[in-house]
Amino acid sequence: MINRRSTLKSMVLGAVSALAMAAAGMPSAEAQNKELKIGFVGVTSGPAAAWGTSNVRSMQTRAAWINETGGVKIGDATYNVNIVTFDDQKDPKRAIAGMEKMAQEGIHYVVGPNVDDGAAAVRPVAEANGIIYFPYAFPKALYQKPASNAVLGMIANYQSGPAIYKYLKENKGVKTIAFVAANESDPLSQRDGGVEAAKALGLKIVAQNDTYQNDTRDFTPVLTPIVALKPDLLVLSGVAPANAPLLIRAARELGFEGLISTETAQDAKVLEEGAGEYANGFISVGGASTPEIASDAMKEFVARYTKMFGEYNDESNTKVYALEYIIDTLKANPAAIDNVDEFKKTMDTFSAPNPYLKGDAKLSYVGTTSFGQKRQLAVPMVVNEYKDGAFQTLFVGTVD
């Protein structure tokens, strides 16, 4: 009788516990999981907000998907993924504060920052606190020895620029090129890299010193002398998504008939709203997927993202990868869960199936050619052309 009562009591308590979890919207298996915090420090407000917003939304979409399906098993434990975010407002000082917050919360893996100044500013904090971070910024010093804690999350302008210029030279007859950039370190650095690539390809540079303030809204005075030179290609170096349509519209209204390109990712909706048909033919680096190479998992990711946020940004085809790489590298070496030195050891030989591409594509770390060590995520280099409200694939490449 005592055993029977004990058994009945246990059953009742178990049922009450299960009902409580259900009432809280929490499956019992998920409630038993540990928590894996992954950080984001980057820009989600202002003219460049689209860059960081696509990061955050990609991470939140993927984390919700993982948690919904029971979490991720790393070693002997199963974890729910919790995304902790911080808007640095494209301010290096705030980026430092954001990375310090991540350190205080015991977070060892952080996605971002999105721009050069922020990525450089947080380096001392990351290195002092055992944080691996995944910037979307291009200074080589972040990824070359003695630096070792930063991992480039996308294709750099000095990797995509030469590929774009070469394609346009060979396929569109481009012979002359002009550059314009915001008067900030990030776009100016990208401009300098573009100039170097153009020279190497034998293109004639007709303008390279024209700049503008990032809060400019009337670009006619900036572009008038450049348009008068009639370059075959106008490069908007490091242009923020909010400024791209304004520059494009101003150039077209001044009568510019050449090609316009950039090596930064853009937002099709912003282009459509800001430039309309003037944006047709605009060339930019796209998200790391196309309909031809996207797997079923990528299609499901896009569907989940769209359902969660009501829209989709093509750039998230690239931004989906950072969290995937972090988790799969931890799965390959569970000791890295709280030890970034173990993570670094794993990077050199890491390989895992790429869930977002058709076929037998692999996730791996690259960058040896550009940085002398593997400090870059291997993602497809997709170059897009904008047309009538959407991006169309111009070509797809790779880097090593």
Side-chain angles (χ1 to χ4, degrees):
M1 182 65 72
I2 293 175
N3 289 340
R4 184 182 176 190
R5 287 178 178 171
S6 297
T7 300
L8 287 171
K9 184 177 180 181
S10 297
M11 291 174 64
V12 170
L13 289 174
V16 170
S17 179
L19 286 170
M21 290 176 181
M26 185 185 305
S28 57
E30 183 177 330
Q32 297 171 5
N33 292 350
K34 293 185 176 182
E35 180 184 52
L36 174 61
K37 289 184 179 181
I38 305 295
F40 168 80
V41 175
V43 55
T44 56
S45 60
W51 291 338
T53 299
S54 64
N55 275 120
V56 171
R57 290 181 172 182
S58 297
M59 296 170 73
Q60 290 175 337
T61 299
R62 184 64 182 119
W65 185 1
I66 290 170
N67 296 343
E68 177 187 314
T69 53
V72 58
K73 188 173 176 58
I74 300 173
D76 296 328
T78 301
Y79 295 83
N80 292 331
V81 180
N82 179 16
I83 306 301
V84 180
T85 68
F86 186 94
D87 177 15
D88 67 15
Q89 300 176 10
K90 204 164 170 278
D91 181 340
K93 292 181 180 178
R94 281 189 57 83
I96 292 171
M99 195 64 79
E100 289 174 340
K101 174 189 174 183
M102 300 301 152
Q104 290 165 4
E105 294 203 23
I107 295 172
H108 291 284
Y109 301 97
V110 176
V111 176
N114 298 100
V115 297
D116 293 1
D117 287 351
V122 303
R123 177 182 168 184
V125 179
E127 292 179 347
N129 290 277
I131 295 174
I132 295 283
Y133 65 112
F134 297 76
Y136 295 79
F138 301 150
K140 291 186 176 182
L142 292 173
Y143 314 109
Q144 296 171 327
K145 292 180 179 179
S148 64
N149 285 47
V151 182
L152 178 58
M154 64 185 296
I155 304 294
N157 71 299
Y158 40 78
Q159 297 166 332
S160 61
I164 293 173
Y165 307 159
K166 184 174 186 291
Y167 177 90
L168 295 179
K169 177 182 179 181
E170 295 176 350
N171 294 277
K172 303 292 185 179
V174 167
K175 296 179 181 178
T176 59
I177 187 170
F179 296 84
V180 62
N183 191 23
E184 296 181 354
S185 62
D186 195 346
L188 291 176
S189 173
Q190 293 191 39
R191 178 203 62 188
D192 293 345
V195 168
E196 184 179 338
K199 288 179 179 178
L201 287 167
L203 297 175
K204 182 180 178 182
I205 300 169
V206 298
Q208 67 180 78
N209 297 316
D210 298 272
T211 61
Y212 57 87
Q213 296 305 309
N214 214 21
D215 59 356
T216 300
R217 289 299 171 261
D218 179 8
F219 288 95
T220 300
V222 177
L223 293 175
T224 296
I226 300 176
V227 170
L229 297 171
K230 298 182 178 181
D232 297 326
L233 174 63
L234 171 61
V235 179
L236 311 180
S237 299
V239 65
N243 287 336
L246 302 180
L247 281 154
I248 293 168
R249 175 178 286 276
R252 295 306 186 200
E253 289 179 342
L254 286 168
F256 182 66
E257 297 180 353
L259 298 167
I260 306 177
S261 75
T262 186
E263 289 92 57
T264 49
Q266 300 298 312
D267 188 319
K269 183 178 180 181
V270 173
L271 290 171
E272 182 179 25
E273 292 175 349
E277 64 181 13
Y278 285 125
N280 284 343
F282 179 52
I283 297 163
S284 64
V285 175
S289 185
T290 70
E292 295 78 16
I293 64 177
S295 66
D296 289 341
M298 176 59 87
K299 294 174 184 176
E300 182 173 354
F301 168 75
V302 173
R304 286 173 173 270
Y305 183 116
T306 305
K307 182 179 180 180
M308 185 176 290
F309 299 107
E311 61 182 4
Y312 188 74
N313 185 337
D314 174 81
E315 190 182 352
S316 290
N317 293 343
T318 297
K319 301 299 178 61
V320 67
Y321 275 99
L323 181 59
E324 206 71 35
Y325 268 90
I326 293 169
I327 289 173
D328 279 2
T329 306
L330 294 176
K331 288 165 66 176
N333 182 1
I337 199 83
D338 56 6
N339 186 337
V340 298
D341 289 333
E342 291 292 332
F343 193 97
K344 294 175 188 178
K345 291 178 185 177
T346 308
M347 291 170 65
D348 284 338
T349 58
F350 171 79
S351 178
N354 186 332
Y356 301 118
L357 296 182
K358 291 179 179 177
D360 58 356
K362 300 292 184 183
L363 300 177
S364 64
Y365 293 92
V366 295
T368 303
T369 298
S370 295
F371 313 124
Q373 59 179 341
K374 292 185 176 182
R375 287 299 182 273
Q376 182 175 6
L377 306 184
V379 298
M381 178 172 63
V382 176
V383 177
N384 287 334
E385 182 177 18
Y386 176 88
K387 184 172 178 59
D388 297 333
F391 291 119
Q392 298 179 354
T393 305
L394 198 61
F395 67 90
V396 179
T398 59
V399 302
D400 61 0

